[in-house]
Amino acid sequence: MPLASRTTLTRTAAVALAAGLALTLTACGSGSKGSADAGSSGGAVKVGLITKTDTNPFFVKMKEGAQKAAKENNVTLSTAAGKFDGDNAGQIAAIENMVAAGVKGILITPSDSKAILPAIKKARDKGVLVIALDSPTDPTDGTDALFATNNEKAGELIGQYAKAAMAGKSAKIATLDLAPGVAVGQLRHDGFLKGFGIAEGDPSVVCSQDTGGDQAKGQTAMENCLQKAPDINVVYTINEPAALGAYTALKAKGREKDVLIVSVDGGCTGTQAVKDGKIAATSQQYPLVMASQGVKAVADYAKSGVKPIGYTDTGVNLITDKPQAGVDAKDTAYGLENCWG
Amino acid sequence: MTTSTVPYGNLTGPSTLRRLATAPVAGPLAALVLACAFFSLMTDQFLSGGNFSLIIQQVMVVGALAVGQTLIILTAGIDLSCGAVMAFGSIVIAKMAANGTVPPLVAIALGLAVCAGFGLLNGLLVKLIPLPPFIVTLGMLNVAFALTHIYSNEQTVSDLPRALTFLGETFPLGDTDVTYGSLVALGLFGLFAYLLSSTSWGRHVYALGNSPEAARLNGIRTGRLTIGLYAIAGLVYGIAALLLISRTGVGDPQAGQTDNLDSITAVVLGGTSLFGGRGSVLGSLIGALIVGVFRNGLQLMGVASIYQTLITGVLVILAVTVDQISRKRIR
């Protein structure tokens, strides 16, 4: 059967091609990461960084900071991430694989502050130093240490700023939040209310919607809020993408000039939006600092055996070009110099 | 289930069936072996019993889902709801048992029943109305996802009784530790491999996937068979839910969000045809292992995870290409 033999050949070739291409790709992958990571490099101290996702600019910057610090401290960095924000199983697998690879310490931004605890405990039981970056586990002593922005303070700063900017005018507030049950979002939201001097459930908050920190969802949320309460004049947003979405919705209604938008994060796009006057103020945090201090802490631990403990505040600054009396702030020139993304 | 052989013409005669069921496994198996050899050369840590045990633990949840997914895909269907159904099942089990009001075993039985119920509903909608499986399970994905979040109140359920996490515990095997859950998953594969290849029920499933009309004319009750397959798949997702809880130690409402696609990836990489009638659960196990080996191996090499996604995507396209080429050969 000549036909059969020919197609068998084709099929075999296809399988071989599949395997070959996979291997080639793998080789490319390792090549582009630098040869330091490939294979086992004997005595070099290994540090793992596990972020929530690979694609969020915040985590991209965090990775950059870690890579730079790894070079400076002469350690080998490997990175991993969940497939989406909230991918606990993906982060668990990453921890296991890194422990198998023999890391000295793991830096992790936990997607789920509770569900990740058993996996972290297993790693710590094997003598691996685990430091939470950006967001804490619940309880916080699930990790050896936490290097993060004080998210509540970040919220408080823009709350105070908004209060001062409103100068006694009656406020109709929309809050564009993150998602239910996510600590970062809750802390920023609570901080904003505290800074503004109101409690949860205050009648001046006329609309609250979840955005997932996404620009398109932020826009939809703002459109719906304006439908519900057209006289909104203050918008709190979980991050700048949500803020820019809100800005787009407000602009479509011709309201962009008379509504005060405040936000948290301090990404470069967001800080530029503050400079352009789209966002009034934002609280800037520093993922690069979190990561580089984390890597350094693991390197120090490898040398001296001393573990970092407790909470290290990696700082937050209010960025605005229209400062208000009584609220400390830096201008956008400083913000753009220190932004991430 | 009887073992009597009903003749369906040469389409499903025993030897043809064997070829259809086993032939696609050779390619995936070769890819798996090659990948293992590659990572063994590249890293010192890959080739060890402990690491293989780890990979099996990591893929067993998606692997169990892939068993159910294989059953559906063998009938030329698709199940987008499997991850969400599993997540709902896991939250039902975890919340019931954590409240302490329900004994753990009853909670597990309830969870399995709920998952089987979702599968049954899928099957009824696919067969009785009838609606395309893609649409039915897409809808069910959202229903199960929403119910998970409503019922869990967005809260992770922790501090579970040991009966729920028992499968995550390990026993020593040589110098490695193996979880009981890995055995359950492997047992699931063994059971369905046997049922599909050596019983008349299995033959009926392949016949249905090859040509529903021919199967019906040969006296197979295709309606009952299809609905039953979806229900069984649902039950299997319930077992996956139990494996998930035991692995993570918590009930997690966020779980399973990409597991539907991951299970399809495993099935496709395992050589099961998306057009129905060809493939095996053994292939799906190999498919799941291929993904797990790449994920683990690349991590050991220190390659960033985004490359794992890239490589998985390329592998899937190649696997479907191989399927198409070999399919033409059979015609």
Side-chain angles (χ1 to χ4, degrees):
Chain A
M1 298 209 295
L3 184 68
S5 65
R6 204 203 75 202
T7 42
T8 306
L9 189 70
T10 318
R11 188 156 155 257
T12 314
V15 173
L17 183 72
L21 193 58
L23 298 186
T24 314
L25 268 173
T26 312
C28 295
S30 67
S32 70
K33 276 277 295 170
S35 56
D37 290 346
S40 74
S41 31
V45 171
K46 290 182 183 176
V47 183
L49 171 69
I50 303 170
T51 49
K52 292 186 189 178
T53 66
D54 269 321
T55 44
N56 182 325
F58 185 85
F59 299 127
V60 173
K61 197 68 185 182
M62 190 177 263
K63 209 188 275 186
E64 236 174 67
Q67 273 155 356
K68 195 157 165 272
K71 232 175 235 160
E72 285 165 7
N73 291 282
N74 201 20
V75 297
T76 307
L77 179 77
S78 74
T79 60
K83 281 188 220 156
F84 55 92
D85 200 334
D87 181 12
N88 186 54
Q91 290 200 325
I92 290 177
I95 291 176
E96 290 170 345
N97 290 340
M98 283 178 178
V99 172
V103 293
K104 192 79 191 169
I106 291 174
L107 315 171
I108 182 167
T109 57
S111 268
D112 186 316
S113 53
K114 275 186 195 157
I116 196 68
L117 287 173
I120 290 180
K121 186 175 181 303
K122 268 190 216 164
R124 290 179 70 191
D125 287 348
K126 288 186 179 156
V128 175
L129 173 71
V130 181
I131 299 174
L133 299 185
D134 183 46
S135 29
T137 53
D138 179 16
T140 13
D141 63 6
T143 56
D144 290 289
L146 167 68
F147 290 14
T149 298
N150 185 336
N151 276 296
E152 191 174 5
K153 190 179 171 210
E156 219 177 313
L157 282 174
I158 55 169
Q160 287 167 350
Y161 176 87
K163 181 77 182 172
M166 288 304 283
K169 270 188 290 177
S170 141
K172 298 272 183 190
I173 303 169
T175 68
L176 303 189
D177 298 309
L178 186 57
V182 182
V184 180
Q186 199 59 48
L187 287 167
R188 290 180 185 177
H189 176 100
D190 294 347
F192 170 78
L193 295 183
K194 191 173 161 197
F196 205 86
I198 53 179
E200 186 70 53
D202 189 279
S204 63
V205 179
V206 292
C207 187
S208 287
Q209 298 233 333
D210 290 331
T211 66
D214 178 85
Q215 178 154 351
K217 286 191 191 125
Q219 182 179 342
T220 307
M222 193 67 225
E223 286 162 357
N224 293 341
C225 278
L226 284 172
Q227 209 59 36
K228 187 179 168 198
D231 54 347
I232 287 168
N233 53 17
V234 176
V235 181
Y236 154 85
T237 58
I238 176 67
N239 65 2
E240 290 119 10
L244 288 169
Y247 177 82
T248 309
L250 286 163
K251 198 170 176 204
K253 293 260 181 196
R255 298 281 318 278
E256 78 273 17
K257 294 274 186 266
D258 52 288
V259 176
L260 183 81
I261 304 177
V262 291
S263 191
V264 181
D265 252 8
C268 292
T269 313
T271 310
Q272 184 63 41
V274 174
K275 192 178 179 195
D276 297 344
K278 294 176 179 172
I279 302 171
T282 193
S283 282
Q284 186 169 55
Q285 48 176 337
Y286 304 96
L288 209 142
V289 177
M290 296 173 198
S292 58
Q293 290 193 2
V295 169
K296 188 168 181 310
V298 177
D300 289 349
Y301 167 60
K303 264 183 236 149
S304 65
V306 179
K307 288 184 178 182
I309 45 163
Y311 168 54
T312 304
D313 188 345
T314 49
V316 59
N317 283 308
L318 186 72
I319 304 291
T320 182
D321 285 338
K322 295 174 215 150
Q324 299 292 334
V327 190
D328 282 342
K330 306 248 183 210
D331 63 10
T332 53
Y334 176 89
L336 285 170
E337 238 168 68
N338 293 283
C339 66
W340 49 270
Chain B
M1 238 163 269
T2 64
T3 51
S4 68
T5 321
V6 189
Y8 300 123
N10 66 358
L11 187 66
T12 52
S15 68
T16 317
L17 175 72
R18 176 150 305 169
R19 188 163 60 83
L20 291 180
T22 58
V25 175
L29 192 60
L32 178 63
V33 171
L34 272 176
C36 286
F38 174 73
F39 288 119
S40 302
L41 289 175
M42 293 303 285
T43 75
D44 290 342
Q45 303 99 344
F46 182 82
L47 193 63
S48 76
N51 195 46
F52 284 132
S53 164
L54 191 60
I55 292 171
I56 291 172
Q57 287 169 40
Q58 289 173 350
V59 304
M60 72 184 180
V61 172
V62 166
L65 288 179
V67 170
Q69 186 73 260
T70 310
L71 297 180
I72 308 288
I73 290 181
L74 280 175
T75 70
I78 193 117
D79 193 343
L80 300 178
S81 70
C82 61
V85 168
M86 171 188 70
F88 186 55
S90 71
I91 284 293
V92 167
I93 296 171
K95 267 200 89 167
M96 293 267 170
N99 285 343
T101 46
V102 179
L105 286 181
V106 177
I108 291 170
L110 272 171
L112 294 182
V114 164
C115 290
F118 268 105
L120 182 64
L121 199 54
N122 273 334
L124 289 171
L125 291 168
V126 164
K127 205 59 214 181
L128 293 188
I129 295 197
L131 297 171
F134 188 94
I135 303 298
V136 170
T137 58
L138 178 64
M140 206 61 76
L141 157 70
N142 288 299
V143 171
F145 178 83
L147 287 178
T148 304
H149 286 256
I150 293 165
Y151 183 59
S152 71
N153 203 16
E154 316 284 355
Q155 298 293 312
T156 303
V157 190
S158 38
D159 299 321
L160 299 177
R162 181 160 175 258
L164 299 193
T165 54
F166 168 75
L167 291 176
E169 291 175 17
T170 56
F171 65 91
L173 184 78
D175 57 350
T176 67
D177 291 322
V178 180
T179 63
Y180 296 100
S182 305
L183 294 189
V184 171
L186 292 175
L188 208 54
F189 278 103
L191 174 67
F192 279 94
Y194 168 77
L195 289 177
L196 282 173
S197 66
S198 306
T199 67
S200 61
W201 176 78
R203 268 189 282 283
H204 292 179
V205 173
Y206 284 103
L208 174 68
N210 271 309
S211 166
E213 187 59 13
R216 193 182 62 79
L217 292 173
N218 274 295
I220 297 175
R221 305 173 79 164
T222 53
R224 266 171 57 168
L225 183 61
T226 306
I227 294 166
L229 274 171
Y230 277 87
I232 292 169
L235 183 65
V236 172
Y237 305 151
I239 296 170
L242 195 56
L243 294 174
L244 175 74
I245 295 173
S246 74
R247 176 161 161 68
T248 59
V250 293
D252 173 12
Q254 303 280 349
Q257 286 191 24
T258 61
D259 285 2
N260 51 358
L261 299 180
D262 291 348
S263 73
I264 295 169
T265 301
V267 172
V268 169
L269 284 181
T272 294
S273 169
L274 283 171
F275 308 102
R278 285 180 65 228
S280 65
V281 288
L282 210 60
S284 301
L285 171 63
I286 295 169
L289 284 172
I290 289 175
V291 176
V293 161
F294 269 97
R295 219 156 241 287
N296 171 272
L298 292 177
Q299 188 62 61
L300 292 181
M301 285 171 62
V303 177
S305 55
I306 196 74
Y307 289 99
Q308 299 163 12
T309 309
L310 176 71
I311 289 169
T312 311
V314 173
L315 285 177
V316 166
I317 292 169
L318 286 169
V320 180
T321 308
V322 170
D323 174 47
Q324 274 292 14
I325 292 169
S326 59
R327 200 175 160 76
K328 275 188 192 139
R329 183 178 67 113
I330 281 173
R331 276 187 184 154

